[in-house]
Amino acid sequence: QAGVFTYDPGFTSTASCDSTITFIDGDKGELLHRGYPIDQLAAKSHYLEVCYLLLYGSLPSAAELEHFENTITRHTMIHEQMHNFFRGFRRDAHPMAIMVGAVGAMAAFYHDSTDISSPREREIASHRLIAKVPTIAAMAYKYSIGQPFVYPRNDLDYAANFLHMCFAVPAEEYNVDPILARAMDRIFTLHADHEQNASTSTVRLASSSGANPFACIAAGIACLWGPAHGGANQACLEMLKEIGTPDRIPEFIARAKDKNDPFRLMGFGHRVYKNFDPRATVMKQSADEVLDLLGVENNPILATAKELEKAALADDYFAEKKLFPNVDFYSGVILEAMGFPTSMFTPIFALSRTVGWISQWKEQLGDPQMKIGRPRQLYLGETVRDYVDIEKR
Ligand code: SDX
């Protein structure tokens, strides 16, 4: 029967999986991590505590948190020989191309955490990825601008360390503004996990074959890069710049509604949310805070974004199709104000989501019933037929 097809159990165990990590109610615009609402975590928690929550299922005690943070902090440096890996790329390589390669290459340097049958080695691999992916992202950025790599520092917290690795230079002291570090940490938290999105499903499918964790996360990074997914934050800011001033908003709204025009409003719409993406609400608040801090009042891009949101939400098309701003709509405004080029927006999404991918990877590998994923299809091709010799064609 066209359109109705069943999955074999193997596929079900990876595609429509059971999970206890994240819950989304798309109609209510609700996002819970292990039962805790994202707006509470963004306001009261911080990224490494959310990492612990996603990995282990409960909020840590003070001692557990200190031990976890020390463990992550002491694994932020990457193998010195990996530096050569970066030098093989052209300077203008997109940082996401470097991240896909470098994270996958971690399997060549950290053999002792690729035995996925060992729960302890799975945990070590999880910690290594959470600790090292920001270093790789920062190095990809430094390489792209021709500046020397900046080593991680153990005296800085996770977000401050990332900002320092990106913006410090050997020639002078770089002190990370604590409010910028807080805004960076909040962006990490808002992107940490999101149930079975395309890149997480990619990681789950890759891990169902028994592939090593670094290869699985590299597959997730590759999938996230697409403009319909994690690449939307870069595409959204580029769209806002193309719109330029609010008077051009109607032109772009009309294009987004035109079925003959492939243009879509970047940062709008979602496969699951048919209400506000709760992350977008928090991100919008952060945008105001960060820009005020930076003294970037009346940021023209933020002003255009707010006018665009207002115009789209007032338009019947977007209301009927239940299209609302998503996590990517305001994040680019903040990241650009912090000094990042648009090419670094998706790498920042990727480093934030590494904990979500690896938590779901760990959960799946902990399932003794897990089988290899084997997507099925609805075959619409030719029925069986005999070969025809070329002379007779
Ligand atoms: C992320 O899955 C996740 O959880 C992802 C994510 C995560 O944290 O992992 O949340 C991160 O990927 C967020 C989404 C980022 N992408 C973008 O912002 C790109 C722009 N948005 C879209 O391309 C789109 O909204 C998708 C890809 C996100 C969803 O596309 P769908 O599956 O087509 O959405 P839909 O089924 O709800 O669309 C309903 C209708 C369709 O029109 P009709 O076929 O009914 O005529 O709305 C249209 C769509 O064409 N539509 C849009 C639109 N998004 C959907 N029209 C104009 N502009 C848009 N942005």
Side-chain angles (χ1 to χ4, degrees), residues 194 228-229 264-265 267-268 270-271 274 279 326 353:
H194 211 238
H229 191 10
R264 283 193 162 179
L265 220 48
F268 251 78
H270 199 273
R271 289 303 276 130
K274 301 310 168 190
R279 302 168 298 175
N326 60 49
R353 183 56 56 87

Side-chain angles (χ1 to χ4, degrees), residues 83-387:
H83 290 208
N84 303 328
F85 189 89
F86 288 78
R87 294 192 175 93
F89 286 92
R90 286 174 32 162
R91 286 285 180 185
D92 61 355
H94 195 291
M96 283 297 278
I98 298 177
M99 284 188 75
V100 169
V103 172
M106 285 176 72
F109 291 89
Y110 302 105
H111 286 292
D112 56 341
S113 55
T114 54
D115 170 10
I116 60 171
S117 64
S118 153
R120 179 60 187 138
E121 291 197 2
R122 292 204 290 266
E123 186 174 37
I124 292 169
S126 306
H127 294 167
R128 279 187 162 138
L129 280 155
I130 293 167
K132 297 178 193 302
V133 173
T135 306
I136 288 171
M139 289 173 72
Y141 171 55
K142 282 304 204 185
Y143 185 73
S144 73
I145 58 175
Q147 285 189 0
F149 298 138
V150 174
Y151 285 87
R153 281 178 30 181
N154 292 351
D155 62 323
L156 297 176
D157 70 31
Y158 194 86
N161 203 11
F162 176 68
L163 290 170
H164 186 265
M165 288 190 285
C166 288
F167 298 132
V169 288
E172 59 190 16
E173 193 64 28
Y174 175 81
N175 296 309
V176 180
D177 185 307
I179 297 184
L180 275 194
R182 178 76 191 121
M184 188 81 263
D185 188 276
R186 188 178 296 169
I187 286 179
F188 291 164
T189 297
L190 292 172
H191 289 85
D193 189 48
H194 211 238
E195 199 223 71
Q196 304 314 315
N197 55 85
S199 52
T200 299
S201 301
T202 301
V203 170
R204 278 184 173 261
L205 203 51
S207 73
S208 74
S209 74
N212 76 73
F214 308 109
C216 294
I217 300 305
I221 294 173
C223 176
L224 185 77
W225 194 358
H229 191 10
N233 51 19
Q234 174 173 351
C236 181
L237 196 84
E238 288 162 356
M239 173 192 73
L240 291 171
K241 288 185 171 176
E242 188 187 351
I243 292 173
T245 49
D247 61 295
R248 293 196 62 204
I249 286 173
E251 172 195 334
F252 283 80
I253 294 271
R255 284 190 56 197
K257 293 159 64 175
D258 178 356
K259 283 303 163 201
N260 300 317
D261 186 333
F263 171 76
R264 283 193 162 179
L265 220 48
M266 290 288 112
F268 251 78
H270 199 273
R271 289 303 276 130
V272 177
Y273 288 123
K274 301 310 168 190
N275 198 323
F276 266 88
D277 178 339
R279 302 168 298 175
T281 309
V282 178
M283 200 70 84
K284 184 176 177 182
Q285 291 157 6
S286 284
D288 286 323
E289 286 167 23
V290 170
L291 295 174
D292 286 351
L293 161 82
L294 294 172
V296 194
E297 289 85 19
N298 312 319
N299 176 292
I301 297 176
L302 181 58
T304 300
K306 289 181 175 177
E307 284 304 312
L308 177 60
E309 177 189 353
K310 204 187 302 178
L313 294 180
D315 188 289
D316 291 345
Y317 171 89
F318 290 86
E320 280 156 25
K321 296 192 184 289
K322 297 184 178 179
L323 302 175
F324 293 87
N326 60 49
V327 68
D328 295 307
F329 190 66
Y330 284 105
S331 57
V333 175
I334 301 173
L335 293 172
E336 180 174 73
M338 293 171 95
F340 290 104
T342 55
S343 60
M344 276 302 290
F345 292 4
T346 310
I348 288 168
F349 193 151
L351 78 85
S352 310
R353 183 56 56 87
T354 295
V355 66
W357 289 330
I358 207 67
S359 299
Q360 304 245 4
W361 168 84
K362 196 162 160 270
E363 178 179 67
Q364 178 166 284
L365 288 176
D367 173 4
Q369 305 301 316
M370 186 194 81
K371 293 177 182 292
I372 187 168
R374 180 58 176 85
R376 300 312 305 276
Q377 64 176 14
L378 190 60
Y379 178 69
L380 303 173
E382 298 287 344
T383 52
V384 65
R385 52 182 172 166
D386 292 328
Y387 181 84

